[in-house]
Amino acid sequence: MSDVTPGNRLDRPVDEKFDHILGPADAPITLVEYGSYACPYCRAANERIAEVRDQFGDRMRYVFRHRPLVGVELARRSAELVERASDPKRFWDEHVKLMTRSETLTEDDLEAVARDLGVPADCGPPDDPAVIRAKARVDADEASAAASGATVTPTFFINGRRYDGPWDESALADAMLGTLGHRVRSAALDFASWGPSAGVLLLLATLVAVALTNTGLGPGFAALWEQKFGFTFDGAGFSLSLLHWINDGLLTLFFLVVGLEIKREFTVGHLSGWRSAALPVAGAIGGMVAPAALYLLVIPPGAWSHGWGVPMSTDTAFAVALIVMLGPRVPVELRIFLTAAAIVDDLGAIVAVALFYSGELSLVYLIPAAVLVGALAMLNRSRVYTLAPYVAIGVALWACVLASGLHPTLAGVILALFIPTRPPPNLTALTTQASAIIAGEAARGGEVLRHGPSAPALRALDAIHDRLESPADRLLRNAGARSSYLVLPLFALANAGVALRLDTFSGRERLMAAIIAGLVIGKPVGILAASALAVMSRLAVKPKAYSWAQLAGAGALAGIGFTMSLFIAGEAFRSEADFEAAKIAVFIASILSAVAGVTLLTIAGRKAPS
């Protein structure tokens, strides 16, 4: 998880007595702009805003707040100068002059406005009360911009929500009218940007699965997942149950995302340098070894001993959701530790699945799988940056891995390793190129209106867009959301249903105790002990931002082992009754770990120095 960033909501509500406003106070639409007089994009957008205001009339009020360009002297001086206006009418007259008098803001523009206002162009002596008030006003707008997440100029807010769409008048009008498409998109983005959203959706799917399983609909609900789906061709066919399509097919996307996250963290993320990676790596290793060892201590040799991998894993979605809900009581550095440790944890789970939870291997299919991996490597080495051939080979690889006896989701991890990265783009060159292309298209005027932009221009703009991020980053951005908001909830819906009957516990108390002990006790003890050992041996350094007590709280949260624990349990326990008992044990352990983690972090957060 990255550091905390501002949201997409307006930080300071519009104040009729303080803000610069055009339009009636009771207007149903409020458009707030954070802009700078020295920003060429703000000057270009000024005309679009005027057109939108003409279109909406009294239904809209427009608010301008200052966000002077950093490092541009004229930007700050012009903002403070226009704040010397004696009344709103004078302010807006000089605002328009600063935006439109010249193609770019010049010293002559400031002198012309200063003459209108009857003040010096340099705003006067610093101890002048009017100068102090103007400076304080611009400072307040800048602080509001930062708190609202306005990182570029112009940044627009429509009725308090940041607008990230195109700046043309048609798109702005659609957003302000609140068309159905815009409302749905805004609601989805709001939900996705809420930190706990993935965990909440996963919890909701789990509760629905458990509830349906324990009602009269239970038999039908269970039968749904056993329905076969597939295809036949010329007498040959391939089909899987809906449950297996989810666990062996859709879950491959989850493993692809995990693989991409692991790759990113070890190349450019928090695990890319030994000094920053040492503590979470040590904690993660301890958090895998201790639960597995504790499980084996409790379970006697036999069929159940194969389930040692169940308490190894941490469910990042639930752990992150709780950490976000705890807010400032959890230092950013501790969030980074837990997220990085979870990445290493996922890597360990993948290795465990590959080595210990796959079926009997078949060389007949392993050989073509190896050939396909070679093809992926060749594409990567040849610097092929189009995703389509990788995806096509990935689908074929999935089929071969499924038939080979290895778990098919491993195809997603293998594919992730070969999706290429690229050096960071030269943004200045790309901006210049895009501006030149758009300016050329704009010069064609009426022809563009009749036929749209030319095909060469669209291809060039597509190429620029593709160059902005590497194929690996683009795939992670697109597949990550689908994994969190579609694949994992479906997995929970299909796998979390368990009949709450007393006979489920009968004879399996030791199995459940081993899983609960591994997650609730083994996880935090292993993470804390391994981290302390790494620090004492000087292999790692614990940041001063969090205490050992807070680290223990994060370790307790790591005992929430939902998704991967259920997945491994399904592979380890072929008996339906054993699997049901394991699921209940994972649920109980996850609840206990969540309560313990939140309690420890809350208490430790109160005692931690501010």
Side-chain angles (χ1 to χ4, degrees):
M1 178 188 291
S2 60
D3 294 354
V4 179
T5 56
N8 62 349
R9 292 286 183 173
L10 189 66
D11 173 68
R12 191 183 78 211
V14 175
D15 187 336
E16 288 285 332
K17 296 180 179 178
F18 185 77
D19 279 304
H20 299 298
I21 302 173
L22 284 176
D26 58 352
I29 301 168
T30 298
L31 175 66
V32 177
E33 176 188 1
Y34 286 97
S36 171
Y37 296 114
C39 168
Y41 309 111
C42 297
R43 300 167 77 83
N46 184 66
E47 186 177 343
R48 307 284 81 77
I49 293 169
E51 292 171 358
V52 170
R53 288 187 58 239
D54 288 342
Q55 177 182 347
F56 284 90
D58 287 345
R59 290 183 295 160
M60 166 190 166
R61 61 174 179 170
Y62 167 64
V63 182
F64 182 81
R65 291 178 178 176
H66 300 287
R67 190 190 179 278
L69 293 181
V70 178
V72 180
E73 183 195 6
L74 286 180
R76 180 76 192 197
R77 283 177 54 203
S78 60
E80 293 184 10
L81 177 62
V82 76
E83 284 301 327
R84 300 288 300 276
S86 56
D87 57 69
K89 182 180 183 307
R90 179 61 62 87
F91 170 85
W92 286 111
D93 288 344
E94 304 311 321
H95 169 86
V96 171
K97 182 173 288 186
L98 286 171
M99 282 290 189
T100 60
R101 186 175 183 271
S102 305
E103 187 174 342
T104 59
L105 186 67
T106 65
E107 187 70 42
D108 287 344
D109 296 330
L110 269 66
E111 291 178 359
V113 170
R115 286 194 298 271
D116 289 349
L117 296 176
V119 299
D122 61 0
C123 291
D127 57 350
D128 184 337
V131 173
I132 294 172
R133 282 195 301 271
K135 183 179 184 304
R137 172 57 187 272
V138 176
D139 287 343
D141 281 359
E142 283 190 302
S144 172
S148 301
T151 57
V152 298
T153 53
T155 294
F156 296 106
F157 288 80
I158 298 174
N159 288 343
R161 177 187 281 120
R162 190 175 65 218
Y163 171 72
D164 295 320
W167 294 340
D168 67 290
E169 58 273 22
S170 175
L172 276 170
D174 283 347
M176 287 191 287
L177 285 171
T179 59
L180 178 61
H182 181 79
R183 289 202 303 270
V184 170
R185 179 177 179 273
S186 297
L189 289 175
D190 281 352
F191 181 72
S193 64
W194 181 47
S197 58
V200 168
L201 202 57
L202 199 55
L203 177 62
L204 183 61
T206 302
L207 294 175
V208 169
V210 173
L212 288 175
T213 303
N214 288 276
T215 65
L217 298 174
F221 184 66
L224 169 67
W225 306 112
E226 298 304 323
Q227 295 296 313
K228 295 278 189 177
F229 294 92
F231 59 88
T232 58
F233 178 74
D234 196 23
F238 175 80
S239 67
L240 293 172
S241 68
L242 182 57
L243 179 65
H244 280 94
W245 274 118
I246 292 172
N247 290 356
D248 295 343
L250 278 182
L251 209 62
T252 303
L253 181 65
F254 167 70
F255 275 80
L256 171 65
V257 170
V258 169
L260 290 170
E261 288 177 339
I262 291 171
K263 183 177 181 178
R264 182 182 63 185
E265 288 299 321
F266 276 99
T267 53
V268 297
H270 299 298
L271 302 175
S272 58
W274 170 247
R275 188 169 183 81
S276 59
L279 192 63
V281 167
I285 292 173
M288 289 185 285
V289 172
L294 188 55
Y295 176 93
L296 291 173
L297 281 175
V298 176
I299 291 293
W304 289 348
S305 60
H306 193 49
W308 56 266
V310 175
M312 281 178 53
S313 302
T314 296
D315 193 285
T316 312
F318 280 130
V320 166
L322 290 173
I323 277 187
V324 170
M325 295 178 81
L326 285 169
R329 282 170 290 196
V330 180
V332 170
E333 291 81 359
L334 188 59
R335 303 183 193 192
I336 292 171
F337 169 88
L338 184 57
T339 307
I343 292 292
V344 180
D345 194 295
D346 287 337
L347 180 59
I350 289 168
V351 172
V353 169
L355 297 180
F356 303 104
Y357 294 102
S358 293
E360 188 175 337
L361 301 184
S362 169
L363 283 177
V364 174
Y365 293 100
L366 278 176
I367 291 173
V371 172
L372 291 171
V373 171
L376 288 172
M378 186 179 67
L379 286 175
N380 183 287
R381 189 172 181 82
S382 302
R383 297 184 179 181
V384 175
Y385 294 123
T386 304
L387 281 173
Y390 292 94
V391 173
I393 294 176
V395 172
L397 178 63
W398 175 84
C400 289
V401 172
L402 173 66
S404 72
L406 288 170
H407 201 281
T409 54
L410 296 176
V413 181
I414 296 170
L415 178 61
L417 296 178
F418 292 102
I419 300 295
T421 57
R422 298 183 77 173
N426 184 330
L427 294 179
T428 302
L430 294 183
T431 301
T432 302
Q433 182 186 2
S435 298
I437 293 168
I438 293 172
E441 291 299 298
R444 294 171 55 225
E447 186 179 347
V448 174
L449 288 175
R450 289 191 300 274
H451 305 293
S454 65
L458 290 175
R459 284 196 297 269
L461 290 172
D462 284 342
I464 292 170
H465 175 264
D466 289 344
R467 185 62 187 92
L468 289 175
E469 57 183 346
S470 71
D473 289 336
R474 185 179 304 111
L475 185 58
L476 180 58
R477 177 168 57 86
N478 291 315
R482 289 165 176 78
S483 171
S484 298
Y485 299 110
L486 176 64
V487 174
L488 291 185
L490 274 175
F491 172 81
L493 200 61
N495 289 273
V498 58
L500 302 177
R501 302 187 306 268
L502 290 177
D503 60 339
T504 304
F505 302 84
S506 178
R508 298 175 182 84
E509 295 85 353
R510 199 158 185 169
L511 171 63
M512 297 177 68
I515 294 173
I516 293 171
L519 286 168
V520 178
I521 301 172
K523 267 291 181 183
V525 169
I527 288 175
L528 200 59
S531 299
L533 185 61
V535 171
M536 287 189 292
S537 60
R538 298 187 178 180
L539 291 175
V541 177
K542 184 186 78 65
K544 295 180 180 178
Y546 56 83
S547 65
W548 286 106
Q550 288 174 306
L551 185 59
L557 286 183
I560 303 173
F562 187 78
T563 306
M564 287 299 293
S565 293
L566 292 183
F567 175 74
I568 293 176
E571 300 301 316
F573 304 119
R574 294 304 178 183
S575 162
E576 184 64 27
D578 291 346
F579 183 36
E580 296 276 300
K583 283 194 279 188
I584 294 175
V586 169
F587 294 162
I588 294 172
S590 296
I591 293 169
L592 292 175
S593 295
V595 172
V598 169
T599 303
L600 283 171
L601 286 171
T602 301
I603 295 172
R606 290 172 185 163
K607 296 180 179 179
S610 59

mmCIF file of all heavy atoms in Angstrom, residues 267-293:
data_model
loop_
_atom_site.group_PDB
_atom_site.id
_atom_site.type_symbol
_atom_site.label_atom_id
_atom_site.label_comp_id
_atom_site.label_asym_id
_atom_site.label_seq_id
_atom_site.Cartn_x
_atom_site.Cartn_y
_atom_site.Cartn_z
ATOM 1 N N THR A 267 11.094 -5.066 -7.836
ATOM 2 C CA THR A 267 11.857 -4.287 -8.813
ATOM 3 C C THR A 267 11.890 -2.802 -8.482
ATOM 4 O O THR A 267 12.958 -2.184 -8.488
ATOM 5 C CB THR A 267 11.284 -4.484 -10.229
ATOM 6 O OG1 THR A 267 9.873 -4.218 -10.215
ATOM 7 C CG2 THR A 267 11.519 -5.900 -10.720
ATOM 8 N N VAL A 268 10.736 -2.205 -8.184
ATOM 9 C CA VAL A 268 10.710 -0.765 -7.918
ATOM 10 C C VAL A 268 10.008 -0.414 -6.611
ATOM 11 O O VAL A 268 9.918 0.755 -6.249
ATOM 12 C CB VAL A 268 10.023 0.008 -9.080
ATOM 13 C CG1 VAL A 268 10.805 -0.159 -10.358
ATOM 14 C CG2 VAL A 268 8.573 -0.457 -9.260
ATOM 15 N N GLY A 269 9.486 -1.425 -5.883
ATOM 16 C CA GLY A 269 8.685 -1.154 -4.691
ATOM 17 C C GLY A 269 9.479 -1.214 -3.408
ATOM 18 O O GLY A 269 10.709 -1.051 -3.386
ATOM 19 N N HIS A 270 8.765 -1.501 -2.321
ATOM 20 C CA HIS A 270 9.369 -1.496 -0.986
ATOM 21 C C HIS A 270 10.319 -2.663 -0.751
ATOM 22 O O HIS A 270 11.040 -2.666 0.246
ATOM 23 C CB HIS A 270 8.265 -1.508 0.076
ATOM 24 C CG HIS A 270 7.359 -0.326 0.008
ATOM 25 N ND1 HIS A 270 7.806 0.966 0.192
ATOM 26 C CD2 HIS A 270 6.023 -0.222 -0.252
ATOM 27 C CE1 HIS A 270 6.784 1.805 0.067
ATOM 28 N NE2 HIS A 270 5.695 1.116 -0.209
ATOM 29 N N LEU A 271 10.328 -3.641 -1.640
ATOM 30 C CA LEU A 271 11.222 -4.791 -1.491
ATOM 31 C C LEU A 271 12.386 -4.750 -2.476
ATOM 32 O O LEU A 271 13.110 -5.723 -2.628
ATOM 33 C CB LEU A 271 10.436 -6.097 -1.683
ATOM 34 C CG LEU A 271 9.259 -6.320 -0.729
ATOM 35 C CD1 LEU A 271 8.494 -7.581 -1.102
ATOM 36 C CD2 LEU A 271 9.735 -6.397 0.716
ATOM 37 N N SER A 272 12.560 -3.595 -3.152
ATOM 38 C CA SER A 272 13.598 -3.513 -4.179
ATOM 39 C C SER A 272 14.992 -3.320 -3.590
ATOM 40 O O SER A 272 15.986 -3.631 -4.228
ATOM 41 C CB SER A 272 13.292 -2.361 -5.147
ATOM 42 O OG SER A 272 13.203 -1.130 -4.444
ATOM 43 N N GLY A 273 15.091 -2.789 -2.389
ATOM 44 C CA GLY A 273 16.386 -2.606 -1.736
ATOM 45 C C GLY A 273 16.473 -3.467 -0.485
ATOM 46 O O GLY A 273 15.485 -3.624 0.238
ATOM 47 N N TRP A 274 17.656 -4.040 -0.221
ATOM 48 C CA TRP A 274 17.780 -4.957 0.906
ATOM 49 C C TRP A 274 17.445 -4.286 2.230
ATOM 50 O O TRP A 274 16.770 -4.869 3.072
ATOM 51 C CB TRP A 274 19.187 -5.544 0.974
ATOM 52 C CG TRP A 274 19.422 -6.306 2.250
ATOM 53 C CD1 TRP A 274 20.253 -5.992 3.265
ATOM 54 C CD2 TRP A 274 18.752 -7.516 2.663
ATOM 55 N NE1 TRP A 274 20.165 -6.912 4.288
ATOM 56 C CE2 TRP A 274 19.251 -7.867 3.934
ATOM 57 C CE3 TRP A 274 17.783 -8.329 2.073
ATOM 58 C CZ2 TRP A 274 18.815 -8.993 4.628
ATOM 59 C CZ3 TRP A 274 17.355 -9.451 2.768
ATOM 60 C CH2 TRP A 274 17.871 -9.774 4.031
ATOM 61 N N ARG A 275 17.896 -3.049 2.417
ATOM 62 C CA ARG A 275 17.688 -2.394 3.711
ATOM 63 C C ARG A 275 16.198 -2.205 4.004
ATOM 64 O O ARG A 275 15.737 -2.432 5.119
ATOM 65 C CB ARG A 275 18.415 -1.054 3.747
ATOM 66 C CG ARG A 275 18.409 -0.398 5.123
ATOM 67 C CD ARG A 275 19.368 0.788 5.165
ATOM 68 N NE ARG A 275 19.424 1.383 6.488
ATOM 69 C CZ ARG A 275 20.148 0.913 7.488
ATOM 70 N NH1 ARG A 275 20.884 -0.162 7.299
ATOM 71 N NH2 ARG A 275 20.145 1.508 8.666
ATOM 72 N N SER A 276 15.425 -1.805 2.991
ATOM 73 C CA SER A 276 13.983 -1.601 3.202
ATOM 74 C C SER A 276 13.220 -2.920 3.214
ATOM 75 O O SER A 276 12.155 -3.026 3.818
ATOM 76 C CB SER A 276 13.415 -0.686 2.105
ATOM 77 O OG SER A 276 13.623 -1.259 0.827
ATOM 78 N N ALA A 277 13.783 -3.943 2.535
ATOM 79 C CA ALA A 277 13.065 -5.213 2.431
ATOM 80 C C ALA A 277 13.347 -6.159 3.587
ATOM 81 O O ALA A 277 12.552 -7.065 3.847
ATOM 82 C CB ALA A 277 13.437 -5.896 1.110
ATOM 83 N N ALA A 278 14.478 -5.972 4.288
ATOM 84 C CA ALA A 278 14.933 -6.974 5.258
ATOM 85 C C ALA A 278 13.897 -7.259 6.340
ATOM 86 O O ALA A 278 13.611 -8.427 6.651
ATOM 87 C CB ALA A 278 16.250 -6.512 5.890
ATOM 88 N N LEU A 279 13.316 -6.213 6.932
ATOM 89 C CA LEU A 279 12.390 -6.432 8.043
ATOM 90 C C LEU A 279 11.103 -7.122 7.591
ATOM 91 O O LEU A 279 10.704 -8.133 8.194
ATOM 92 C CB LEU A 279 12.089 -5.118 8.757
ATOM 93 C CG LEU A 279 11.370 -5.263 10.106
ATOM 94 C CD1 LEU A 279 12.237 -6.019 11.104
ATOM 95 C CD2 LEU A 279 10.997 -3.890 10.671
ATOM 96 N N PRO A 280 10.407 -6.634 6.552
ATOM 97 C CA PRO A 280 9.188 -7.357 6.138
ATOM 98 C C PRO A 280 9.467 -8.751 5.609
ATOM 99 O O PRO A 280 8.646 -9.659 5.804
ATOM 100 C CB PRO A 280 8.585 -6.457 5.052
ATOM 101 C CG PRO A 280 9.660 -5.525 4.644
ATOM 102 C CD PRO A 280 10.558 -5.360 5.822
ATOM 103 N N VAL A 281 10.613 -8.969 4.966
ATOM 104 C CA VAL A 281 10.940 -10.316 4.486
ATOM 105 C C VAL A 281 11.140 -11.255 5.673
ATOM 106 O O VAL A 281 10.610 -12.373 5.709
ATOM 107 C CB VAL A 281 12.194 -10.289 3.587
ATOM 108 C CG1 VAL A 281 12.712 -11.703 3.345
ATOM 109 C CG2 VAL A 281 11.874 -9.621 2.255
ATOM 110 N N ALA A 282 11.901 -10.777 6.674
ATOM 111 C CA ALA A 282 12.122 -11.601 7.866
ATOM 112 C C ALA A 282 10.804 -11.877 8.578
ATOM 113 O O ALA A 282 10.514 -13.017 8.975
ATOM 114 C CB ALA A 282 13.095 -10.891 8.813
ATOM 115 N N GLY A 283 9.978 -10.841 8.750
ATOM 116 C CA GLY A 283 8.690 -11.022 9.411
ATOM 117 C C GLY A 283 7.796 -11.995 8.665
ATOM 118 O O GLY A 283 7.127 -12.842 9.272
ATOM 119 N N ALA A 284 7.786 -11.899 7.327
ATOM 120 C CA ALA A 284 6.941 -12.785 6.530
ATOM 121 C C ALA A 284 7.401 -14.234 6.640
ATOM 122 O O ALA A 284 6.570 -15.151 6.749
ATOM 123 C CB ALA A 284 6.956 -12.335 5.070
ATOM 124 N N ILE A 285 8.714 -14.456 6.609
ATOM 125 C CA ILE A 285 9.228 -15.821 6.730
ATOM 126 C C ILE A 285 8.841 -16.410 8.087
ATOM 127 O O ILE A 285 8.367 -17.547 8.184
ATOM 128 C CB ILE A 285 10.754 -15.845 6.524
ATOM 129 C CG1 ILE A 285 11.083 -15.495 5.075
ATOM 130 C CG2 ILE A 285 11.333 -17.210 6.891
ATOM 131 C CD1 ILE A 285 12.566 -15.325 4.807
ATOM 132 N N GLY A 286 9.042 -15.625 9.149
ATOM 133 C CA GLY A 286 8.621 -16.087 10.469
ATOM 134 C C GLY A 286 7.131 -16.326 10.539
ATOM 135 O O GLY A 286 6.664 -17.279 11.190
ATOM 136 N N GLY A 287 6.363 -15.465 9.847
ATOM 137 C CA GLY A 287 4.908 -15.595 9.836
ATOM 138 C C GLY A 287 4.405 -16.754 9.006
ATOM 139 O O GLY A 287 3.211 -17.076 9.054
ATOM 140 N N MET A 288 5.272 -17.375 8.223
ATOM 141 C CA MET A 288 4.893 -18.589 7.494
ATOM 142 C C MET A 288 5.374 -19.847 8.215
ATOM 143 O O MET A 288 4.640 -20.834 8.312
ATOM 144 C CB MET A 288 5.463 -18.551 6.066
ATOM 145 C CG MET A 288 4.793 -17.536 5.149
ATOM 146 S SD MET A 288 5.395 -17.623 3.446
ATOM 147 C CE MET A 288 7.007 -16.847 3.610
ATOM 148 N N VAL A 289 6.598 -19.791 8.725
ATOM 149 C CA VAL A 289 7.192 -20.976 9.350
ATOM 150 C C VAL A 289 6.489 -21.310 10.669
ATOM 151 O O VAL A 289 6.134 -22.466 10.930
ATOM 152 C CB VAL A 289 8.702 -20.769 9.581
ATOM 153 C CG1 VAL A 289 9.287 -21.908 10.410
ATOM 154 C CG2 VAL A 289 9.433 -20.656 8.243
ATOM 155 N N ALA A 290 6.275 -20.286 11.535
ATOM 156 C CA ALA A 290 5.700 -20.540 12.857
ATOM 157 C C ALA A 290 4.287 -21.134 12.789
ATOM 158 O O ALA A 290 3.994 -22.123 13.485
ATOM 159 C CB ALA A 290 5.716 -19.254 13.689
ATOM 160 N N PRO A 291 3.370 -20.600 11.972
ATOM 161 C CA PRO A 291 2.031 -21.217 11.910
ATOM 162 C C PRO A 291 2.062 -22.655 11.396
ATOM 163 O O PRO A 291 1.350 -23.515 11.916
ATOM 164 C CB PRO A 291 1.264 -20.305 10.935
ATOM 165 C CG PRO A 291 1.987 -19.012 10.959
ATOM 166 C CD PRO A 291 3.427 -19.361 11.176
ATOM 167 N N ALA A 292 2.900 -22.894 10.361
ATOM 168 C CA ALA A 292 2.986 -24.256 9.822
ATOM 169 C C ALA A 292 3.551 -25.212 10.867
ATOM 170 O O ALA A 292 3.054 -26.341 11.038
ATOM 171 C CB ALA A 292 3.853 -24.263 8.563
ATOM 172 N N ALA A 293 4.594 -24.759 11.606
ATOM 173 C CA ALA A 293 5.206 -25.611 12.631
ATOM 174 C C ALA A 293 4.227 -25.871 13.771
ATOM 175 O O ALA A 293 4.116 -27.007 14.276
ATOM 176 C CB ALA A 293 6.475 -24.950 13.157
#
